[in-house]
Each structure stands twice: as structure tokens, then as C-alpha cells.
Amino acid sequence: MSSLHKSRIADFQDVLKEPSIALEKLRELSFSGIPCEGGLRCLCWKILLNYLPLERASWTSVLAKQRELYAQFLREMIIQPGIAKANMGVSREDVTFEDHPLNPNPDSRWNTYFKDNEVLLQIDKDVRRLCPDISFFQRATEYPCLLILDPQNEFETLRKRVEQTTLKSQTVARNRSGVTNMSSPHKNSAPSSLNEYEVLPNGCEAHWEVVERILFIYAKLNPGIAYVQGMNEIVGPLYYTFATDPNSEWKEHAEADTFFCFTNLMAEIRDNFIKSLDDSQCGITYKMEKVYSTLKDKDVELYLKLQEQNIKPQFFAFRWLTLLLSQEFLLPDVIRIWDSLFADDNRFDFLLLVCCAMLMLIREQLMEGDFTVNMRLLQDYPITDVCRILQKAKELQDSK
């Protein structure tokens, strides 16, 4: 470890040990990348995403309260419905008079169960192929949810619901848009069949199952947006970061902590996932156009070249912006980019500048290429040095 890196770690530790965290100082340090040693990144992200307050003295009580709240969500949205499902239709009277699978009443327990299944199937399909370039999400977690996996429990878990349902997942797919593929060409090599995954023994669960639970509970608590394909790519890096925390005390609660950080992050970017808001000032169309207007201001020649070839931002920037670049780079690079995004107080304005920088850094190739070549470049971005991209984006920010 270099002396410079040791010095950076010491700088973070100095800020984080203060009774009241100096947010601006923390942002300034985090913008240039957060060291992973000692769980620094996990802690900084929780502060930057407004999960932990700035007053250190309140951390213990806040964490205890939020983690108990998440346990309550598990009991109310997974365990109790699972028990109810096991009991539904046990007696003839229940089936005939109280509730039954064909009951058209929207308040019917069966109706709710089937609607939840539709959402669950799409979540399950997406989380099973999360980050296929690494094996992490297929491996067993060290801290399976004991509330769910207690051998004394006989209720229906999410895993059993997926295995037992006869619904076809393709009939319930909710993609944000048909304009562009939500998956990057080099990131869609995951197994396509449930049988292609190693079956873990009873009492174990894979990391992807934890992510599935987080997304299912989020969908239940936010029925207006529920689950839209791509949310799995947002929660994945968060969960990976928290579940690999070197501090086992924090790692044990990665599921609950990820849920609340994901919820806070989605509060800022959820408009990207709501199609009816696309053309509003908070919608994704406006943001894509902002990337091009920034490019026009910084490099009009390149802007005109893309316009001449009729390369619209929808063809590539939709995925860049909606998924916070999580499909354009390998996971460690995505995490480094997110250090800077989370640290910037105008974090998603900075994301627009990052996208603009990505275009400018492949300027020569774009100026020489035809439509087909350029589309391939933009759909499978060639530069892997994310620090160079972030530096260019910072230069654009400073030149405003």
C-alpha cells in the first residue's frame, strides 16, 4: 500500500470519527474515490445516501430501528402471506364462502397473491442473471435470513412461489422501453434456465435471492411504480458493496441496509422508470436531450456528426442514464463511478457530464465511423479507464 493511499485512508478516518460528520469534507474526499479498506466505502455510501445521519451518536439507534422495521416488512409481506397461502382453501367452507382462486373481488387474498406473483416472476428472472461476469450473486450468503429459513417454518417462501407457479414470465415482463436493450452486450451471458443454477442445500440462500427479496418488498411498498426491469442493476452494486464489508457486524445486516439505501436512491431516480413522465422536465427524455445539448456546447463538431448520422441519444444514453452506467463497465468500475456520483451534491447533473465525457473521449472513432460502427461503439463502450472518464467530466463541470 502506497503512502499516498495510507494518507487518504487516514483522511477518511479523521472525518468519520468526528461526533458530527462534516458532509462537505466527506463529499470532497469521496469524489476522488473511497478506499474499500476497513469498510470505509460502505460507511460513506450510507451517509451520502442519507441512510445514516451526520450525528454519530444516533447511528446505533437509527440502525436498530431501521433493521427492525425491515424485519417487520419481512413478516408482513413474505412470512404472513406465506402462512396464509398455506392455509387458504384448507376447508371447504373457506373455498366456497370466504375466498377462492377465481374470486374477482380486487380485495381478494388470492387476487393479491396472483398479482404479486406476476411481479415476483419478473424480479426472479432478472436477479438470476445479475452481474454474470462474476460468481458472487450465485454463491451462498454467510448470513441467510433466519426469519425466512427457520426449519420450523412451513410457510411458502419466495423461492417456493417461483418454483410452484405456472405463470409464464414473458407475459408479465415490464421493460421501461422498447427503444433499446436494457442489457449490455457483454453482460447477458447468464444461464437462461432455472435448472442451470446450482441448487443450494436447505438452510442456505444465494445472494441473488436476497436481492430478489429486497426488490419484492420495495415493489409491495411502492405499488405506483412496483418493479421495472433495470432496478435489479441499481440494487446489485449496492448490495455487493454492503455484503462484502470487511466488518462482519455491518455485513450481517447487508440486506436491510441495502433496502433502505436503495429506497433512498430510487427516490431520486424513480422518475427515470416512469414512462408517463418521460417528456416532463424530470423525465428521462429531458435528461437525454441535456446530454446532447451539453455536447453541443462543448464539442459542436462531434454533436453535428451524431446529428448527421441520426444517432439519437435514446439509442444509448437511455441505458447509460437509467441504470447509472451499471451496464457499461465491470462491477468494480461501476462502484468507483458511483463513489463520485454519490459524493456530488448535484449527483445526477454530474452523471450527464460523465455521459458527455464518454462521448468526447471516443471522439476520433465517432468522427471516422459510419452509423453502424458508431452504434456499436456506443452500445458497447470501449474505454475501460473510468478514472479518465471521471477526470474529463470534472473538467467539464469546472469549465461551466
Side-chain angles (χ1 to χ4, degrees):
M1 186 186 300
S2 70
S3 57
L4 179 61
H5 191 67
K6 287 180 181 176
S7 175
R8 278 187 56 73
I9 291 174
D11 289 341
F12 274 94
Q13 290 171 337
D14 287 345
V15 171
L16 293 169
K17 72 183 180 184
E18 291 295 323
S20 181
I21 307 299
L23 184 58
E24 286 308 310
K25 180 62 176 174
L26 182 64
R27 280 177 169 161
E28 182 185 335
L29 286 171
S30 300
F31 189 86
S32 300
I34 305 171
C36 58
E37 289 85 357
L40 287 174
R41 174 174 281 124
C42 307
L43 181 53
C44 290
W45 278 18
K46 286 167 186 169
I47 296 170
L48 294 171
L49 290 172
N50 303 312
Y51 177 47
L52 283 178
L54 298 179
E55 303 302 321
R56 278 179 57 92
S58 59
W59 286 1
T60 301
S61 61
V62 166
L63 289 171
K65 178 182 176 184
Q66 294 297 84
R67 289 164 179 173
E68 174 52 37
L69 178 59
Y70 185 75
Q72 185 62 31
F73 291 156
L74 291 178
R75 286 188 282 267
E76 291 179 3
M77 297 175 205
I78 295 180
I79 295 175
Q80 289 174 11
I83 293 171
K85 167 61 166 54
N87 293 334
M88 276 194 287
V90 168
S91 69
R92 186 180 181 86
E93 290 77 12
D94 283 341
V95 174
T96 306
F97 298 112
E98 182 184 339
D99 205 353
H100 55 82
L102 300 181
N103 189 341
N105 186 340
D107 297 325
S108 156
R109 288 181 298 169
W110 279 102
N111 188 286
T112 300
Y113 177 82
F114 289 137
K115 282 187 175 179
D116 288 349
N117 266 9
E118 293 181 0
V119 175
L120 177 59
L121 279 170
Q122 183 61 45
I123 293 173
D124 186 80
K125 177 182 173 184
D126 291 344
V127 296
R128 284 174 182 267
R129 59 191 182 195
L130 191 58
C131 296
D133 47 309
I134 61 172
S135 63
F136 171 81
F137 287 96
Q138 309 308 322
R139 297 203 305 263
T141 171
E142 295 175 57
Y143 300 99
C145 181
L146 299 181
L147 273 176
I148 302 289
L149 297 180
D150 186 332
Q152 301 303 313
N153 292 334
E154 295 186 359
F155 63 87
E156 186 182 54
T157 63
L158 295 187
R159 183 195 294 186
K160 289 178 184 174
R161 283 178 72 161
V162 171
E163 289 171 351
Q164 293 173 5
T165 186
T166 57
L167 290 172
K168 301 295 184 183
S169 60
Q170 57 263 38
T171 65
V172 298
R174 283 192 69 201
N175 198 320
R176 249 305 273 110
S177 173
V179 171
T180 185
N181 185 2
M182 291 291 277
S183 298
S184 179
H186 61 272
K187 284 200 172 187
N188 57 7
S189 57
S192 57
S193 165
L194 303 189
N195 298 327
E196 293 181 57
Y197 290 90
E198 180 184 353
V199 178
L200 296 174
N202 288 338
C204 296
E205 61 180 352
H207 288 291
W208 67 260
E209 294 183 82
V210 181
V211 175
E212 178 173 78
R213 200 158 48 236
I214 292 168
L215 289 168
F216 181 74
I217 290 176
Y218 178 83
K220 289 282 289 178
L221 288 171
N222 297 273
I225 186 171
Y227 172 77
V228 180
Q229 188 181 44
M231 290 181 183
N232 57 309
E233 306 294 351
I234 301 296
V235 75
L238 287 173
Y239 175 74
Y240 174 84
T241 299
F242 296 158
T244 56
D245 193 319
N247 183 333
S248 58
E249 244 181 87
W250 290 80
K251 181 159 57 171
E252 182 179 356
H253 299 285
E255 179 176 351
D257 294 349
T258 300
F259 172 80
F260 289 107
C261 286
F262 172 70
T263 298
N264 289 353
L265 182 56
M266 282 300 300
E268 298 185 55
I269 65 171
R270 61 177 285 158
D271 292 349
N272 293 346
F273 290 89
I274 301 175
K275 192 170 179 58
S276 61
L277 295 177
D278 278 1
D279 296 322
S280 69
Q281 193 161 350
C282 60
I284 190 67
T285 301
Y286 174 82
K287 292 169 186 171
M288 289 188 292
E289 289 173 351
K290 191 76 183 293
V291 172
Y292 262 25
S293 65
T294 304
L295 179 65
K296 183 180 180 181
D297 183 50
K298 302 296 181 183
D299 189 339
V300 68
E301 189 180 8
L302 177 57
Y303 166 79
L304 291 173
K305 176 70 174 181
L306 297 177
Q307 290 286 86
E308 176 192 321
Q309 294 185 344
N310 200 28
I311 296 178
K312 301 181 184 302
Q314 289 90 329
F315 298 162
F316 61 93
F318 176 86
R319 190 179 71 206
W320 292 7
L321 294 168
T322 304
L323 304 185
L324 307 185
L325 299 171
S326 61
Q327 286 287 284
E328 313 316 312
F329 304 98
L330 296 177
L331 184 57
D333 295 324
V334 172
I335 289 170
R336 170 61 191 91
I337 290 171
W338 285 17
D339 284 345
S340 294
L341 287 184
F342 295 166
D344 197 281
D345 54 352
N346 296 311
R347 63 187 68 164
F348 301 111
D349 287 341
F350 185 69
L351 176 61
L352 301 178
L353 295 175
V354 173
C355 293
C356 188
M358 289 169 66
L359 294 172
M360 294 174 72
L361 286 173
I362 55 171
R363 183 184 196 280
E364 288 185 18
Q365 297 100 305
L366 290 172
M367 292 300 293
E368 292 174 4
D370 58 18
F371 175 86
T372 304
V373 169
N374 287 345
M375 280 301 301
R376 192 177 299 122
L377 278 171
L378 296 169
Q379 289 282 353
D380 192 4
Y381 191 74
I383 294 180
T384 57
D385 184 354
V386 297
C387 289
R388 185 178 162 209
I389 294 168
L390 291 168
Q391 183 180 3
K392 180 67 175 177
K394 187 70 171 72
E395 290 171 6
L396 294 176
Q397 186 182 53
D398 292 342
S399 67
K400 276 190 168 183

